[in-house]
Amino acid sequence: MPLSHSYPHALSCPHSFSPHSQPLSHLPSPHPFPIPILSLVPPHVPIPSPPAISPLLSLLPYCAPPRSPVPILFHVPPIPCPRLHVRTPHPVPSPRPHPMSPSPCPHAVSPLHSRPQPVARGPAPSSKPRPHTPPSPKAPPRKCSLLTSAGAGGSGRRGGQVWAGGGGGWDGRERSSAIRTGAVRGCLRASPRFHRGERGGTMTDSKYFTTTKKGEIFELKAELNSDKKEKKKEAVKKVIASMTVGKDVSALFPDVVNCMQTDNLELKKLVYLYLMNYAKSQPDMAIMAVNTFVKDCEDPNPLIRALAVRTMGCIRVDKITEYLCEPLRKCLKDEDPYVRKTAAVCVAKLHDINAQLVEDQGFLDTLKDLISDSNPMVVANAVAALSEIAESHPSSNLLDLNPQSINKLLTALNECTEWGQIFILDCLANYMPKDDREAQSICERVTPRLSHANSAVVLSAVKVLMKFMEMLSKDLDYYGTLLKKLAPPLVTLLSAEPELQYVALRNINLIVQKRPEILKHEMKVFFVKYNDPIYVKLEKLDIMIRLASQANIAQVLAELKEYATEVDVDFVRKAVRAIGRCAIKVEQSAERCVSTLLDLIQTKVNYVVQEAIVVIKDIFRKYPNKYESVIATLCENLDSLDEPEARAAMIWIVGEYAERIDNADELLESFLEGFHDESTQVQLQLLTAIVKLFLKKPTETQELVQQVLSLATQDSDNPDLRDRGYIYWRLLSTDPVAAKEVVLAEKPLISEETDLIEPTLLDELICYIGTLASVYHKPPSAFVEGSRGVVHKSLPPRTGSSESAESPEAAPSAGQAAEQPAVIPAQGDLLGDLLNLDLGPPVSGPPLAASSVQMGAVDLLGGGLDSLMGDESEGLRSDVGGSPAMGGSGFAAPGPAAPAGMGAPLGSGLGDLFDLTGGVGTLSGSYVAPKTVWLPAMKAKGLEISGTFSRQVGSICMDLVLTNKALQVMSDFAIQFNRNSFGLAPAAPLQVHAPLAPNQSVEISLPLNTVGSVMKMDPLNNLQVAVKNNIDVFYFSTLYPLHILFVEDGKMERQMFLATWKDIPNENEAQFQIKDCSLNADAVSSKLQGSNIFTIAKRNVEGQDMLYQSLKLTNGIWVLAELRIQPSNPSFTLSLKCRAPEVSQYVYQAYDAILKN
Amino acid sequence: MIHSLFLINCSGDIFLEKHWKSVVSQSVCDYFFEAQEKAVDVENVPPVISTPHHYLISIYRDKIFFVSVIQTEVPPLFVIEFLHRVADTFQDYFGECSETAIKDNVVIVYELLEEMLDNGFPLATESNILKELIKPPTILRSVVNSITGSSNVGDTLPTGQLSNIPWRRAGVKYTNNEAYFDVIEEIDAIIDKSGSTVFAEIQGVIDSCIKLSGMPDLSLSFMNPRLLDDVSFHPCIRFKRWESERVLSFIPPDGNFRLISYRVSSQNLVAIPVYVKHLISFKENSSSGRFDVTIGPKQNMGKTVEGVVMTVHMPKAVLNMNLTATQGSYTFDPVTKVLTWDVGKITPQKLPNLKGIVNLQSGAPKPEENPSLNIQFKIQQLAISGLKVNRLDMYGEKYKPFKGVKYITKAGKFQVRT
């Protein structure tokens, strides 16, 4: 924050306020202010009527209670400048989030999952009661793979015995010996399972877990070396069993390895299990086994070969790995596919142990070759192995797919197992088809997977389709077919087990946001069943809101109302909140939602009432002055509110509608009693509400407002509260009119679409459908361990037909199409952006422009306070200037630093830019409309601004005439733009040579660039401007003609024009009539050329002249035009085609303006 | 891929663990226990839990939590599906998937897990193949094994493992060749207070039991295949044939398997076979309420509705219930507040009714929530969607198989709001 870290000393101590400042008469301030409050507007200047919109809108957030976890997005104030910033009397160097910041951008949110702190449960049985477990302080390290632990807390050895008991099936002798050990005695009594287990008799494996006699190892050793195969096997089984319960049987290593040479496969498997466990701890002895492995790899039985190669990879001993390379190489080329597919996985294992070795040995290449294997299972496993290896080497092009290998994969897809299909589909999803035809053909071959019984296959197929669909043109029949085919499998996933449902729902949530049309008719399947697990219920609710529309809102509301009477509190709360969200989303339903909420409030169930009040507050924000009749009902429940959020919401409502609530003062006073016990949000709301009340009913509530102001400023340690208290205090005592403008300003409406995922993130997440990222709704980089430089995935750009894709020129146009959403982001997280704006300079753009913009921001806010701070501002500014972010603050201000900047003639520091604009009004470039009055003097305390826009030689200018119609000299001009559709921003500060004397005018040409922040405006070419002078800050908005954005290199190649024209879907075409224009085709052409609309071809068809034209906007959007001119008809027909059809109308306006002048 | 698997019982004991890569300490399960404590109800434990270094993906089946540990970005559905497959396999091998069964067969369990997953990649999950690799335990076999010294591990490569029909083993021989198909339909429905249907759909499956020798190639056709527009197939089914001819053509696995599952959702197609008349009310300022429920048959196409059971989760404030049932018996568990009424068969002449007094905690406010009635029922020899099997043809083998089709309709998640 560009805020000073030092407090203005005078303010930090209210008691030192100098006595001569008189607060306004009707508000006897308890503490005189330290600063003599000087109005900067001399008394003889007629004060014009207050601007409609408050200048200090960044205060606005304070005017509504903050919302927590699922915030409704609030629109940016439509008019004020985003960088406008109030310098509070106590600048707080606080990293705290803005109280209203809902932080809608998931990127900004802290890591996705709160990682719980490891609990000190450890292996010891501490917190979890496990009654039958003897407490044991520490479990021995368990190397075993299979563990029984009747008590996780029991030591390994004891655990084994316990289980022995549990399994039953031991003879009396052994039993007594177990009991003798004493450790399990308690367990025997405690666990009923034991009796069940005994039934098993000698049939069960439990018998292997019984022996605990001394000399056991010795006995086993003898048995292992027995000649009888059966005895040997039994012995190995006992060894394995001992191992799995945590006994150390490593001493038997040589004896066990000796058993390896056997024909008995089961014995072999058991020995291998043993090896996998102990090799790591006994690397020297493990080498003994190598020979057998090598030998087994050449066994005639493929099962044994595969087993050997499989086990080898699991022995994670460095010394051994080297010996494995040769057998592995052989097995990778084995004639039996079963061995090959096992060997493929072994490469992945080996890579995990020693990546370098795998690369050196060339195994990766062999693995890549296996993708072309004739056996589909081998292909699938090779893909799986490569994917796993690639995960640790994101940069390597291991899975470099080309159309040939894709074809192989698609063939294998049909024939391999379900798991193989998942690997292949996930791999396919990373492929970028070269054009829409290829995308379509892949889609066609993947679609049958949607009918697979395995839900993971289905979801992976959905991922591939969702991704490649992006490339298909929407008018394609196939596109529609595909949309229809996607719905049933997604719905079917919801009838699976609840765990599967959960993952499916998380993914459907993404899909619904990306392509709501897929499931728009399937609302009912998301209706919650009362015995769904809670995690499923909550997800379903979320999707229901997303699918809510005018068509189905009645059903949805009836359901939500039903849910609101359920037992589960969390679910009920969310259901109530959902009703509010529906009201905001579907305007037609608002009334019904409100009455539903009222019904719910009537139930008097505490948490329902509180939730309802919180959402009603949002409904008031969205539909002001519409549902106030419900306030009375709300007030009845005042006493039952005990949650801060609900209290804050209620207080906000009371404050906002204070004039309609007769006893608003009493209500608020009742809250004031326990002011210091309230949470911060309630305190802040209470403060604002009482100030609002005071402004509305000043006579009766003076005492109250004083009380709250002093509570907030003197008795509170919370800087937020204190600062806000001071601001209000000052405002009230300085200029109640201004205070009114600030506090009672018209609030921006809140957005309809709630908590949507930001489009770019959504696109990325669509690429991760079916993965953990899709469950957490975060990109993997945000949470995958180490995230080893995860490459961000992105959806393929929507390419056109193949011809255009083949011509090299088409590439950029495809790129633009993909960029487009970023160029004009939908009105999403505006508030977040607004708040961030102050935090740093704009990301892009030349530093010059950036700094000038920054200066403007600083300056305006400085100015904002000037009127509050009077003389003191001088001192304050010098304080503030000390902080680096404020470096330029003095630039346009009357401070000591100012003259240098101000006095400098045009072009001194910013020469180049300014020279370009030298000839104001001499038109050599594109058409310039005559100046119009943008800001009448009436509205701006005597400052009149008129202006127009022009474009010359590639630069855009805003030509302004500032006229001083006041009686006072004006100086310190600064200008700033709100974010706008094309990122227009001043490229230099507003330079006014000398103070503007009364009745004097000055012409200024302000160079603009298009590197500012972008926000889609309505209308698109709306520009909101803030101009500041020494008197005040003024706001106006103006529409700029779009042709100032037409760039000089907007001429398209003919071929490219044709291809692009075909490529843009017909629904993007817009047709307009240009009436009363009597020019002929050539005149039209040359006139348009002046404004950078280029004629590419001219045809004469049946007596009509057809002009084909192209133009390009500063943000790279191409617009193609066909202008039909009939010789006798003064009306021209203009057809425009553009990938961003919303600009067409404005392009038409530009055409119209150019041609008619 | 899947790193480790822990099996945890309801009392929180880890009774089996298996690692496919390096060993992950048991303490990782503490995060799971934490989530379990938070969720209160075992069914509400979230299936995906993150820990600082791992992710835990779990399923809850047959009173056992199957908790898998993964370390990298893995499709969670893949893991969940696999875990269900593990549970299915245990069920298949031991007849039940219980803690006791798993402990009693720990070596087989261990061998199975080793066979099903290699380095975290699924290896063999088809029951037919697994059974060739590892023979399921039977009393007879263990006796034979202990006498002859033979093992229950197959020592040849299962033939299906790499063929194009991995689901079928070779050399199947039966003396009686039989093929049975059970068409089972479950009605999921939400009925609102007034008796109108808020939501209803049919979840259908065709479960098959095929005991045919050799390599039979079957095609199953329906009278009205048009009903099936949202179908999931067993991998054995030839998708193209279905697309073009609406015939299920397949070489079946040996034994029991699910051939297809389907969903019929368009509301008008779903006939609701029962209706419920209910009156449940709690008096204001009094510690009692009334309860009166009648169940009747509706649109059951002449078939009897049987096995009717109604369960109701009564509000917390309910102390006990004093009811009389005209048919069947009822129980009320004052701890869980669950009322169960086992009705049995509905005879249209005399509709079963349950009514009486509900006693509430004195002084407690009138319960807000209205209990939902959960109804179960069964109708034999009826597929409520109207699906009918036309014929089954067999190619590729010479013998004449015995064929059978059975229909049954059941209540799925069938709830009536009051």
Side-chain angles (χ1 to χ4, degrees), chain A residues 145 149 163 196 451 772, chain B residues 14 17 73 100 103 118 233:
Chain A
S145 305
S149 60
W163 193 9
R196 222 183 313 137
S451 302
L772 278 173
Chain B
I14 304 171
E17 63 179 88
E73 175 67 278
T100 331
K103 282 182 176 174
D118 176 21
F233 296 114

Side-chain angles (χ1 to χ4, degrees), chain A residues 455 490-508 525-527 529 531-533 535-537 539-540 543, chain B residues 47 77 80 84 188 413:
Chain A
S455 59
L490 288 174
V491 173
T492 304
L493 291 180
L494 296 182
S495 53
E497 286 82 0
E499 300 94 359
L500 295 169
Q501 277 189 49
Y502 170 74
V503 177
L505 284 166
R506 290 296 284 173
N507 281 288
I508 288 173
V525 298
F526 298 103
F527 285 179
K529 302 193 177 95
N531 42 5
D532 283 334
Y535 55 83
V536 169
K537 285 182 174 177
E539 288 305 317
K540 280 187 172 175
I543 295 171
Chain B
L77 276 186
I80 295 173
H84 278 294
D188 288 353
K413 287 181 174 172

Side-chain angles (χ1 to χ4, degrees), chain B residues 135-405:
Chain B
K135 305 244 168 26
T138 60
I139 293 173
L140 182 70
R141 187 167 296 125
S142 20
V143 173
V144 170
N145 282 356
S146 58
I147 295 166
T148 62
S150 66
S151 78
N152 60 351
V153 172
D155 53 7
T156 48
L157 184 60
T159 42
Q161 183 69 288
L162 283 162
S163 70
N164 285 344
I165 40 167
W167 52 85
R168 188 170 181 89
R169 61 193 174 95
V172 184
K173 272 218 174 80
Y174 289 100
T175 42
N176 298 322
N177 288 296
E178 304 161 316
Y180 297 103
F181 296 92
D182 292 359
V183 180
I184 303 165
E185 297 195 338
E186 294 193 351
I187 304 177
D188 288 353
I190 302 174
I191 313 284
D192 74 4
K193 281 189 200 37
S194 61
S196 55
T197 310
V198 175
F199 159 83
E201 66 175 21
I202 297 170
Q203 303 286 352
V205 295
I206 299 183
D207 281 346
S208 317
C209 175
I210 309 277
K211 296 186 168 172
L212 299 174
S213 315
M215 276 286 167
D217 192 336
L218 304 177
S219 23
L220 184 72
S221 61
F222 298 96
M223 307 281 269
N224 39 8
R226 239 165 265 282
L227 275 173
L228 306 174
D229 57 349
D230 179 7
V231 198
S232 304
F233 296 114
H234 188 276
C236 69
I237 289 171
R238 299 183 180 101
F239 187 73
K240 283 210 175 104
R241 187 94 194 271
W242 170 259
E243 286 276 90
S244 56
E245 298 168 49
R246 298 273 145 178
V247 166
L248 295 177
S249 154
F250 56 99
I251 294 174
D254 184 40
N256 295 311
F257 65 100
R258 176 154 296 173
L259 185 64
I260 63 169
S261 51
Y262 58 92
R263 188 175 63 92
V264 179
S265 68
S266 19
Q267 188 114 192
N268 46 8
L269 281 177
V270 182
I272 304 293
V274 295
Y275 67 88
V276 180
K277 273 196 258 173
H278 51 79
L279 188 122
I280 301 172
S281 63
F282 304 105
K283 273 178 229 148
E284 200 75 57
N285 305 321
S286 134
S287 56
S288 72
R290 281 174 61 201
F291 186 96
D292 186 347
V293 173
T294 310
I295 304 182
K298 184 171 120 185
Q299 292 175 313
N300 53 354
M301 294 143 199
K303 303 281 198 286
T304 328
V305 182
E306 52 188 32
V308 180
V309 178
M310 183 185 80
T311 44
V312 190
H313 276 264
M314 297 303 288
K316 282 200 190 72
V318 174
L319 277 184
N320 61 47
M321 305 180 74
N322 236 327
L323 309 169
T324 26
T326 59
Q327 183 185 337
S329 59
Y330 82 92
T331 53
F332 176 72
D333 181 345
V335 182
T336 56
K337 315 284 182 202
V338 175
L339 167 74
T340 312
W341 178 27
D342 190 342
V343 185
K345 209 181 269 183
I346 302 182
T347 40
Q349 291 76 31
K350 188 169 163 282
L351 298 181
N353 166 271
L354 179 71
K355 77 172 174 187
I357 304 293
V358 183
N359 293 317
L360 300 175
Q361 230 162 343
S362 56
K366 178 178 164 252
E368 271 319 316
E369 69 265 26
N370 294 318
S372 275
L373 314 177
N374 204 24
I375 317 266
Q376 288 160 38
F377 55 80
K378 240 194 296 192
I379 306 171
Q380 301 282 2
Q381 289 312 321
L382 171 74
I384 198 89
S385 69
L387 186 74
K388 273 217 160 58
V389 172
N390 184 22
R391 54 182 296 148
L392 176 75
D393 297 307
M394 188 183 75
Y395 308 94
E397 297 289 334
K398 293 220 167 65
Y399 54 85
K400 268 248 178 281
F402 180 82
K403 300 175 270 194
V405 180

Side-chain angles (χ1 to χ4, degrees), chain A residues 66-345:
Chain A
R67 295 277 327 260
S68 54
V70 186
I72 305 281
L73 289 186
F74 291 87
H75 265 304
V76 176
I79 292 290
C81 283
R83 295 200 179 85
L84 192 77
H85 192 120
V86 175
R87 196 194 291 150
T88 56
H90 283 260
V92 190
S94 76
R96 80 194 148 81
H98 195 284
M100 271 308 280
S101 153
S103 160
C105 160
H107 287 306
V109 184
S110 53
L112 81 147
H113 44 276
S114 54
R115 290 186 162 165
Q117 288 304 307
V119 224
R121 185 181 277 125
S126 48
S127 53
K128 191 130 192 116
R130 300 197 178 99
H132 52 283
T133 319
S136 145
K138 197 178 157 214
R142 290 175 181 170
K143 301 188 193 89
C144 54
S145 305
L146 178 95
L147 255 207
T148 76
S149 60
S155 76
R157 203 167 298 258
R158 280 173 189 162
Q161 288 165 345
V162 170
W163 193 9
W170 24 351
D171 58 42
R173 182 174 52 89
E174 279 170 335
R175 178 180 210 146
S176 58
S177 78
I179 291 171
R180 226 178 296 125
T181 62
V184 288
R185 211 170 297 148
C187 316
L188 278 170
R189 271 202 306 273
S191 169
R193 282 177 286 131
F194 283 29
H195 308 293
R196 222 183 313 137
E198 280 168 27
R199 263 190 295 115
T202 48
M203 231 44 109
T204 72
D205 294 330
S206 317
K207 63 176 184 284
Y208 301 122
F209 299 94
T210 52
T211 48
T212 49
K213 292 169 302 202
K214 276 186 184 171
E216 177 196 3
I217 299 278
F218 181 77
E219 253 176 53
L220 280 174
K221 206 180 182 86
E223 282 176 39
L224 284 171
N225 291 317
S226 152
D227 294 335
K228 284 183 189 158
K229 268 189 189 167
E230 190 50 29
K231 207 161 195 183
K232 245 187 192 174
K233 198 172 86 187
E234 283 304 300
V236 175
K237 274 195 181 176
K238 276 185 202 159
V239 172
I240 298 286
S242 307
M243 176 183 93
T244 58
V245 297
K247 291 184 204 169
D248 184 11
V249 283
S250 57
L252 297 168
F253 200 96
D255 309 282
V256 177
V257 171
N258 273 341
C259 301
M260 211 166 152
Q261 306 268 19
T262 170
D263 305 333
N264 186 315
L265 197 65
E266 186 179 18
L267 184 54
K268 196 167 217 110
K269 277 190 179 174
L270 291 171
V271 174
Y272 278 169
L273 287 181
Y274 179 89
L275 270 177
M276 283 187 239
N277 262 317
Y278 283 110
K280 188 136 198 190
S281 55
Q282 312 241 346
D284 295 327
M285 283 203 270
I287 293 189
M288 291 164 49
V290 167
N291 265 339
T292 323
F293 280 130
V294 175
K295 214 174 128 205
D296 278 358
C297 281
E298 287 168 3
D299 196 280
N301 184 344
L303 198 56
I304 290 181
R305 292 204 296 275
L307 185 64
V309 81
R310 200 166 110 199
T311 314
M312 273 171 6
C314 297
I315 297 181
R316 308 174 64 88
V317 179
D318 272 341
K319 280 186 193 167
I320 292 190
T321 39
E322 280 175 45
Y323 297 103
L324 299 184
C325 291
E326 270 324 297
L328 178 59
R329 201 187 314 280
K330 253 183 222 154
C331 287
L332 278 168
K333 304 225 158 103
D334 199 282
E335 56 174 14
D336 194 299
Y338 183 73
V339 180
R340 288 204 299 276
K341 98 174 187 171
T342 316
V345 176

